[in-house]
Amino acid sequence: MAVPVSQAWTVATYVLKQKLMGRKKYPLVLMLEPLFRCNLACAGCGKIQYPAHILKSELSPEDCFKAVEECGTPMVSIPGGEPLLHPQMPEIVAGLVARKKYVYMCTNALLLKEKLHLFKPSKYLSFSVHVDGQREHHDFSVCREGGYDIAMEGVRAAVAAGFRVTTNTTLFDGADPNSVRAHFDEMMAAGVESMMVSPGYTYDKAPDQNHFLGKAKSRRMFRAILSNRKKEWEFNTHPLFSEFLMGKQNFECTPWGMPTFSIFGWQKPCYLLQDGYADTFQELLDSTKWENYGAKSGNPQCANCMVHSGHEASAVDYNFGSLKGFLTTAKRYMFSSLYPDEGAQKLLNEWRPEHASPLIQIQAPVGTTKTELQSISGD
């Protein structure tokens, strides 16, 4: 199974409790951002374009624990920035594990091997390593030659030390489905527990806005990638979310499903958009005009979004929202399909890489010197 039975049971009982309580808006995963600084400058992100004083700021362990308790979710994802640059990250993770939260600590793994001794293996902790495909594609995406090899050293070291290790792959326009499928083989061979794959999202601060996928391209690409699967591939996403990416399901966004807490507070409305902040989680729920978000709202910022942070929660909610949803999901888990599809195989056989323009390389924040940037990133 892609996740421990105890984790699946914890999430299922949590969601059922929310349903029995009649809660329409409940969080599934807390996106906890303790810092924005990073040791990479990925063209599809842009977090390090914040001013230097913001990049030097970070949440304390107490701030993190308070946010988790406010939110009440059983799962916590720790993105960034690069969490391993936070000097108190081992303390934060240990505190969350002690609270029996299932933690996915997102990392580019450049520092994972050297920091591994600061953490203890636990069923509650998974290193979610960002690997954007095979070596050449990954290095191109993160704008750092040799990044793939360093990351995979970290992956193998973590697996050998007994840690749960998953991978997170973000795909942009121009990705080759055949290469992505070969990437899945490589990750399984490296011993990772499971994989997540999702289309790149139109993140406002990203310096490159030309390589995000629209919905039609996303569905075509993910149909080619996720159909005709190999038995050994394990994914840690809800099966109906995978079908959504393939164009087999249609879900609206659930922007409150994966709320974000950072040094600025609770982000409105979601991880991808910045329309203000709330001081408390309850204020986030009460003050955000949720009807203004999601594809159905007509908001142009949401028109092409298919990202997991907005739509996987929708799949989970559908799972427990009706007898039909429950039976559909149960069938997927009990009789998992490899999704045979002759048309998808034809797509793979005939796929030709598109001639896309190069990724735009990120620039340092205005007014930030090279020395300051190196100090901020920890290099």
Side-chain angles (χ1 to χ4, degrees), residues 18 55 80 101 149 162 170 176 228-229 237 250 263 268 324:
Q18 308 310 307
L55 295 178
K101 301 296 182 181
D149 290 330
T170 304
D176 181 355
N228 306 301
R229 300 181 189 182
T237 48
N250 186 29
I263 59 173
K268 299 180 182 181
K324 179 183 177 182

Side-chain angles (χ1 to χ4, degrees), residues 129-142:
V129 181
H130 199 97
V131 189
D132 275 339
Q134 293 185 285
R135 180 182 287 105
E136 183 178 353
H137 184 79
H138 175 82
D139 288 356
F140 179 68
S141 294
V142 303

Side-chain angles (χ1 to χ4, degrees), residues 158-171:
V159 169
F163 287 93
R164 293 179 59 194
V165 181
T166 61
T167 57
N168 179 2
T169 301
T170 304
L171 301 182

